[in-house]
Amino acid sequence: MPNLRARFAMLSRPGRFAVLLVSGVIAGLGQAPFDLWPATIVALAVAFVLHGDCRSARQAAGQAWFFGLGYFAFTLRWIIEPFLVDVARHGWMAPFALLLMAGGAALFWAVAAYLAGRLMPRNIAMFGLMLVGAEVTRSLILSGFPWALLGHIWVPTALAQLAALGGPHLLSLITVLVAWSVALMVAGRWAGGLGIVALMVVAGFVVRPGPPPAPMADAPIVRLVQPNAPQHLKWDPAYRDVFLNRLVALTGQGPVPDLIVWPETAVPSLLNYIVGDMSLLEGAARGAPLVFGIQRRDDIGQFYNSFVVMGQGGAVTGIYDKRHLVPFGEYIPGGNLVGQFGISGLATTDGGGFAAGAAHGLITLPGIGPAIPLICYEGIFAEEIARGTQRPRLMVLITNDAWFGTAAGPYQHLAQARLRSIEQGLPMVRVANTGVSAMIDARGRLRAQIPLDVEGAVDVPLPPALAAPVYTRWGDWPVILLLVAAVLSGAFMRQRDSD
């Protein structure tokens, strides 16, 4: 590692930036669909070692920004896909969107490095703590964007089960600890490094979920229905009935299940137009409750992206309106003003976009019980999953991942859904327009799935819910308080040593 430092120092400034960018890209290989978590650990360890040689907080911030730029440009590469649905109208925005998203997310890491450099110059441990703090911050501010968090690399591993204790940010802290241990070992401090690695290995064995239990004989049967409607055709008048009829046909086949779930905006009409006559949907459901996504308009002309439950006789028994909307996708900040210039969100033709729903409570599914409803983007926010006195039976997430293309986006979104199940100790029914639709059990395991870009339906017994995990009661606060205490402790020790 001293040779690495020396060689890095000998490079020209563009050369150093290139090394950091490539290291960031390598770090991104730990995210889905590659799931190469050792690549993230090694690349992050390199970033830590190079941070230890920074001569100033400003240099540390610059290095962290270029490392973050590589990481986020690679992990968020799917961000260009929505702009390619209508290339003539939005295609020119794609490279700018990726650069702005990656550069903006990397700023959080740059600020973390700068603050670490000010508090404890060249201290790797402080940089690691600040990096986790940056991940918490970008999850919460400016509407929040907790995508491709460092902790997400553990989703396919046994360590993901620790999210039941501390959520995604505990996993990010573990990522930093393991990378720090590698940096310590390379620097010759084997005892500390091996100690951390051994602790993580033991933790992985302790929290292994074990084989899934056999389905209970009276478990409700849920039918997941995936129409596979490509985004560029989904709203085409020539195809809308094709996809709706496909949903109806897949729903009406075989035995009648206990619950049927369709994806986000599955019905290509406003709810206002069909609420008086649900005969097509009712005939397909054959008496089973049906969850489907649709848009609706209220009495004052506001539009909502909605989650609707239809019960027997075609009666609407529950409606949930999406609360956490996608900026520049479902709404444009200042939309009423910019809408006058023809600028609209990607998912709506209205300049003002969708309105946010008023409440995020539970919704009752006939014959099954209380459920947490989630629509698309809402599934990435661990902090916003409903917490209350009544324990839900399950989570139901309907989504349209066709916006994300067929590479990284859908798989990263699925990985986060698995994490939500672990955090809540609840099974999740996840139904996507083009995939991946899946039944996820309360340990985050995929019990059944419909692959990407496949039309089909699958009947799956609903897995049992577990006792409420620690995370459902305390959320992120234990990890946040731990970070604050560690940072203050480090700053105090530096002040004491300087005195």
Side-chain angles (χ1 to χ4, degrees):
M1 196 62 75
N3 289 336
L4 171 64
R5 289 171 168 171
R7 291 177 181 176
F8 185 76
M10 292 172 60
L11 292 173
S12 64
R13 180 175 293 182
R16 292 196 295 270
F17 292 160
V19 168
L20 291 163
L21 279 168
V22 171
S23 298
V25 170
I26 293 172
L29 292 172
Q31 300 289 343
F34 298 103
D35 295 323
L36 299 175
W37 61 264
T40 303
I41 298 301
V42 171
L44 195 56
V46 169
F48 283 172
V49 170
L50 297 180
H51 174 85
D53 275 354
C54 288
R55 295 183 297 274
S56 67
R58 183 176 178 180
Q59 181 186 359
Q63 288 189 180
W65 187 81
F66 275 96
F67 181 80
L69 182 65
Y71 175 82
F72 289 110
F74 182 72
T75 57
L76 302 181
R77 61 196 182 277
W78 54 266
I79 207 75
I80 68 172
E81 297 288 347
F83 298 93
L84 303 182
V85 172
D86 186 349
V87 175
R89 187 177 182 185
H90 300 123
W92 65 274
M93 302 181 190
F96 298 102
L98 179 59
L99 182 60
L100 287 172
M101 287 293 296
L107 278 177
F108 287 92
W109 289 13
V111 171
Y114 180 83
L115 293 175
R118 295 288 294 180
L119 285 172
M120 299 183 72
R122 296 180 294 280
N123 186 284
I124 296 174
M126 180 59 72
F127 176 40
L129 291 172
M130 286 294 185
L131 199 56
V132 178
E135 295 289 81
V136 174
T137 303
R138 76 177 176 94
S139 299
L140 299 175
I141 70 169
L142 300 176
S143 85
F145 189 61
W147 197 291
L149 295 176
L150 288 171
H152 291 165
I153 66 172
W154 303 113
V155 170
T157 75
L159 285 176
Q161 301 303 314
L162 292 175
L165 299 177
H169 303 309
L170 176 59
L171 299 184
S172 291
L173 181 59
I174 290 171
T175 307
V176 164
L177 285 173
V178 176
W180 182 40
S181 72
V182 173
L184 288 175
M185 287 188 288
V186 173
R189 298 168 63 180
W190 287 90
L194 286 175
I196 296 173
V197 171
L199 182 62
M200 293 301 103
V201 171
V202 171
F205 277 102
V206 169
V207 300
R208 291 182 70 86
M216 298 179 64
D218 60 347
I221 302 299
V222 183
R223 177 166 298 170
L224 289 60
V225 186
Q226 181 172 298
N228 192 32
Q231 191 59 40
H232 68 287
L233 299 177
K234 181 174 173 58
W235 299 105
D236 187 325
Y239 285 90
R240 287 191 298 180
D241 287 344
V242 171
F243 299 132
L244 180 59
N245 290 334
R246 185 179 295 172
L247 282 164
V248 168
L250 291 168
T251 298
Q253 65 186 14
V256 179
D258 297 292
L259 175 68
I260 302 162
V261 184
W262 290 2
E264 179 186 13
T265 59
V267 180
S269 303
L270 287 179
L271 180 62
N272 310 66
Y273 298 156
I274 69 166
V275 71
D277 182 8
M278 296 277 219
S279 56
L280 181 64
L281 279 61
E282 181 190 1
R286 296 170 290 170
L290 169 65
V291 168
F292 61 92
I294 193 170
Q295 297 176 15
R296 74 178 189 91
R297 185 179 61 231
D298 66 12
D299 294 336
I300 62 173
Q302 294 185 118
F303 290 84
Y304 296 90
N305 186 357
S306 300
F307 173 119
V308 175
V309 181
M310 184 194 76
Q312 288 190 347
V316 172
T317 62
I319 297 177
Y320 165 70
D321 297 318
K322 188 177 182 184
R323 292 182 65 249
H324 203 129
L325 303 174
V326 182
F328 302 100
E330 292 175 311
Y331 78 99
I332 297 287
N336 291 332
L337 175 62
V338 299
Q340 299 176 18
F341 300 95
I343 301 175
S344 64
L346 294 175
T348 177
T349 58
D350 185 83
F354 292 111
H360 194 311
L362 301 180
I363 199 163
T364 300
L365 301 177
I368 293 179
I372 298 174
L374 299 165
I375 301 177
C376 191
Y377 190 61
E378 293 178 321
I380 74 173
F381 295 96
E383 302 84 0
E384 296 187 10
I385 302 294
R387 298 186 180 96
T389 56
Q390 185 181 16
R391 179 72 172 152
R393 174 64 179 88
L394 75 161
M395 294 180 285
V396 180
L397 187 152
I398 59 174
T399 184
N400 179 18
D401 287 2
W403 283 109
F404 301 156
T406 58
Y411 297 105
Q412 291 174 5
H413 202 200
L414 174 64
Q416 294 182 68
R418 295 175 65 183
L419 205 54
R420 299 296 85 83
S421 282
I422 296 170
E423 294 157 358
Q424 297 296 320
L426 295 173
M428 177 185 285
V429 177
R430 183 185 195 274
V431 178
N433 174 35
T434 54
V436 178
S437 299
M439 176 67 80
I440 305 170
D441 73 13
R443 296 289 190 187
R445 294 168 294 208
L446 299 176
R447 303 293 291 271
Q449 60 181 303
I450 305 174
L452 196 64
D453 287 344
V454 172
E455 65 178 85
V458 60
D459 290 354
V460 196
L462 181 64
L466 303 177
V470 172
Y471 187 76
T472 63
R473 296 189 293 272
W474 296 98
D476 296 318
W477 284 110
V479 174
I480 292 173
L481 293 174
L482 177 63
L483 286 174
V484 171
V487 169
L488 292 178
S489 176
F492 173 77
M493 287 189 293
R494 178 177 182 266
Q495 182 65 36
R496 184 189 62 185
D497 293 342
S498 65
D499 292 342

